Amino acid sequence: MTQVALRSYSSAERRLALAAVLIVLLLSALDQTIVSTAMPRIIAELHGLERIAWVGTSYLLASTVTVPIYGKLGDLYGRRPILVFGVLVFLGGSMLCGLAGEFGTLPVLGDGMTQLIVCRAVQGIGAGALATGAFATVADIVPPAERGRYTGWFGAMFGFASVAGPVIGGLLTDNATTSLFGHVISGWRFVFYVNLPLGAVALYVLMAHLPKVGGHARGERIDWPGSLLILVAFVPLLLALSWGGHDLPWGSPLMLGMFGTGAAALCLLLLISRGKAHAVVPLTLFSEPVFRRGNLALFLINFAFMGLVMFLPLYLQVARGVAATQSGFALLPLMGGVLVGSVFAGRLASRYKVYKPLLVGGGALTLVGILLLLQIGPDTSRNAISLRLALVGLGLGPAQGMFTLAIQSAVSPAQTGVATSSAQFFRQIGSTIGVAVFGAVLTNHLSQELPRRAPELAAASATFDISRAQALAMDPVALGKVLAAQGSTDPAAVARVGSELKASFADAILGLFPISLVVFALAFVVTLMVPNRRLRGRNEMEAATAAHAA
């Protein structure tokens, strides 16, 4: 194996590299949030409501399973070619998403909604390279001891995208509809087309100004069997977690088959990776306690985080009667806290060359915030909820970059890409499993409570389901019509059933918070077990590079 010596980079090179990867990160982060507000219009034009979940699932699948592969390729061939490839594929997917349905039903690809799902998968294949390549690029040019301020900006970029994405998506969907040569182009299509000029800027900066970094492990072979087994293991697993409990019963033959296939492929992956130095994810990395415990903590934190960010807006809309736009803005204190906590922790890490005190302090603050969220009730004001969310966000902020920073500092420069992609992979897997588990708990609770609390609705229709109950809880007029069809026109009865529906959803959603607290507590325990080391400076990085070469 050829080892590339670590070299110093000037302040100007670092600033240009930071600008390049921030634009790349903005592309990746915006696309995760900007599409949500356009979905109602997309469904209205392309139809296929029953396939709506696939629009997000196809993107998530493709971007998650390719992360470890891109990390290894970056170590082999350098960051710039992998980032450029990722941006090109992402932009190609964005263009195709915008064109979905424009030419009617197509051979093989089918109708407009199916076209959109396939093109979102193409986008995801490109997106898998973006975040991993961005973090690994900074790791290549900045020593861990100086890297905190950069990872802080990364966390801030994700926070900005979380806030700006839905707003930009809504503005484009409502106002960007235009006509070209007599053909009307719907505004939602510009949610995807907006990536093109931003991506062109990213490509220019990457090609013209990004230093040639990475490629520390040239001469190694690509682990093609391992790469294939990662796909075979995690595609069925993620599909099963996405479908389980609503599209398919957990115990159905197809679900069991997907779990079995994923487990078998994972076991085979571990078997063939033993003792293989060029494995996609070398198992020797798990002998490093910072790598092992840091990734476990990332998994648990993102698992628990989904119990808040996914279902709190639903609580505000259904149980508190808050409009959809306002419920989205209700998460601003949480995202603002994450942004501030991430940047502040990054600066402290750069100044004092430590990470564990920041992670422990952030974890403790998160637990206090979750404990306060457990006290939310019908009389809790919106401002009181916002303050609690801001406290949780401040606690979560350090975890956004510090775990990745600690993991990067613990491995050799030749393994930076693999280590960074592993952190990103565990983060995304934790989020995916968290959504599935919390969604299953919520659905199970509601399926038991709704028939008991609102028996009138349970008898109203053979096709009555939880989604219908949610819609009726938010629409008293529609609820009145359903009850009137049964012969019940008493306003008091309509009000009582509406109140029971809201109470059922409130109890079910707030019942997720204790689970979230337990998982956050486990993450805190794991964080306490992460070794407390000083972040390596440039001299230590050069010594690590020489040791790895030897």
Side-chain angles (χ1 to χ4, degrees):
M1 179 183 71
T2 302
Q3 183 68 34
V4 178
L6 183 73
R7 77 172 183 86
S8 298
Y9 294 91
S10 67
S11 296
E13 285 178 312
R14 292 185 188 182
R15 285 195 296 269
L16 287 171
L18 178 64
V21 297
L22 280 178
I23 295 173
V24 168
L25 270 183
L26 182 61
L27 268 179
S28 174
L30 269 180
D31 203 71
Q32 297 178 34
T33 58
I34 196 173
V35 179
S36 59
T37 48
M39 283 310 300
R41 297 285 180 85
I42 294 174
I43 294 167
E45 184 168 330
L46 301 183
H47 309 295
L49 176 62
E50 71 282 357
R51 288 171 284 166
I52 182 175
W54 272 101
V55 176
T57 300
S58 61
Y59 180 90
L60 177 68
L61 273 173
S63 62
T64 300
V65 299
T66 54
V67 160
I69 299 171
Y70 282 128
K72 184 65 176 182
L73 290 175
D75 283 342
L76 291 173
Y77 302 113
R79 312 296 172 206
R80 186 163 67 181
I82 303 305
L83 278 173
V84 169
F85 173 80
V87 171
L88 287 173
V89 174
F90 181 85
L91 293 182
S94 298
M95 171 64 80
L96 294 174
C97 285
L99 292 172
E102 286 279 36
F103 306 102
T105 300
L106 298 176
V108 182
L109 292 178
D111 62 9
M113 183 59 80
T114 303
Q115 294 170 31
L116 179 62
I117 291 168
V118 172
C119 297
R120 284 285 283 168
V122 175
Q123 259 194 314
I125 291 172
L130 303 186
T132 298
F135 277 101
T137 296
V138 171
D140 283 326
I141 65 176
V142 182
E146 305 169 26
R147 204 177 294 159
R149 66 173 70 94
Y150 294 91
T151 56
W153 280 111
F154 287 178
M157 182 61 73
F158 279 109
F160 168 77
S162 300
V163 174
V167 177
I168 296 173
L171 289 174
L172 291 173
T173 301
D174 291 336
N175 303 298
T177 300
T178 186
S179 179
L180 183 64
F181 303 118
H183 176 70
V184 176
I185 303 175
S186 301
W188 66 263
R189 297 184 184 276
F190 289 92
V191 168
F192 300 105
Y193 292 150
V194 74
N195 291 326
L196 301 180
L198 192 60
V201 174
L203 280 176
Y204 168 75
V205 178
L206 286 174
M207 296 295 293
H209 300 294
L210 183 66
K212 292 183 179 180
V213 294
H216 298 298
R218 292 173 189 163
E220 285 191 358
R221 301 188 307 275
I222 298 176
D223 181 15
W224 292 114
S227 301
L228 178 62
L229 284 173
I230 283 180
L231 300 179
V232 176
F234 287 99
V235 167
L237 174 63
L238 293 177
L239 281 176
L241 292 172
S242 300
W243 289 346
H246 44 86
D247 293 317
L248 290 171
W250 288 105
S252 67
L254 181 57
M255 292 290 291
L256 295 177
M258 286 191 291
F259 278 122
T261 300
L266 182 59
C267 291
L268 185 57
L269 173 65
L270 295 175
L271 183 64
I272 70 169
S273 297
R274 292 182 61 183
K276 186 187 290 185
H278 65 281
V280 177
V281 180
L283 298 185
T284 53
L285 285 175
F286 289 92
S287 64
E288 166 56 58
V290 174
F291 179 90
R292 184 174 64 249
R293 296 166 190 170
N295 279 321
L296 177 58
L298 274 175
F299 173 86
L300 292 171
I301 288 170
N302 284 275
F303 181 107
F305 183 58
M306 288 298 103
L308 295 176
V309 73
M310 288 295 293
F311 300 104
L312 187 61
L314 182 64
Y315 166 77
L316 294 173
Q317 289 182 49
V318 179
R320 304 291 288 267
V322 175
T325 302
Q326 292 178 327
S327 70
F329 282 123
L331 291 178
L332 286 179
L334 176 66
M335 299 305 177
V338 169
L339 190 154
V340 172
S342 178
V343 173
F344 186 66
R347 291 186 175 277
L348 289 178
S350 292
R351 181 173 182 179
Y352 296 106
K353 313 298 186 289
V354 295
Y355 56 83
K356 185 169 181 177
L358 301 171
L359 291 172
V360 172
L365 200 60
T366 301
L367 291 176
V368 172
I370 299 295
L371 283 170
L372 294 174
L373 283 175
L374 291 179
Q375 302 172 18
I376 289 179
D379 300 324
T380 308
S381 68
R382 289 270 303 280
N383 288 337
I385 295 176
S386 295
L387 287 174
R388 289 166 166 82
L389 289 175
L391 187 63
V392 173
L394 284 172
L396 288 173
Q400 298 302 304
M402 290 298 103
F403 277 112
T404 302
L405 182 60
I407 290 168
Q408 290 173 341
S409 181
V411 302
S412 70
Q415 296 175 313
T416 297
V418 171
T420 304
S421 65
S422 297
Q424 185 69 14
F425 183 73
F426 279 101
R427 190 194 307 268
Q428 291 182 205
I429 289 291
S431 298
T432 304
I433 297 178
V435 170
V437 170
F438 282 113
V441 172
L442 179 69
T443 301
N444 183 64
H445 186 110
L446 289 172
S447 64
Q448 296 178 15
E449 286 297 304
L450 286 172
R452 184 179 65 82
R453 288 190 165 186
E456 301 89 343
L457 290 179
S461 171
T463 59
F464 173 77
D465 58 19
I466 293 173
S467 298
R468 180 174 171 80
Q470 174 190 333
L472 294 177
M474 299 169 63
D475 189 349
V477 176
L479 177 61
K481 291 180 180 178
V482 170
L483 294 179
Q486 293 183 261
S488 177
T489 57
D490 183 8
V494 175
R496 183 191 63 78
V497 174
S499 177
E500 291 293 341
L501 286 176
K502 292 181 177 180
S504 297
F505 275 91
D507 291 346
I509 296 170
L510 295 180
L512 300 177
F513 290 179
I515 302 175
S516 187
L517 175 64
V518 171
V519 181
F520 271 125
L522 289 175
F524 184 70
V525 172
V526 174
T527 302
L528 291 175
M529 297 168 64
V530 174
N532 184 20
R533 301 174 184 170
R534 287 183 61 82
L535 294 170
R536 294 184 306 191
R538 183 163 300 278
N539 292 336
E540 291 90 345
M541 281 189 69
E542 291 174 349
T545 302
H548 187 83

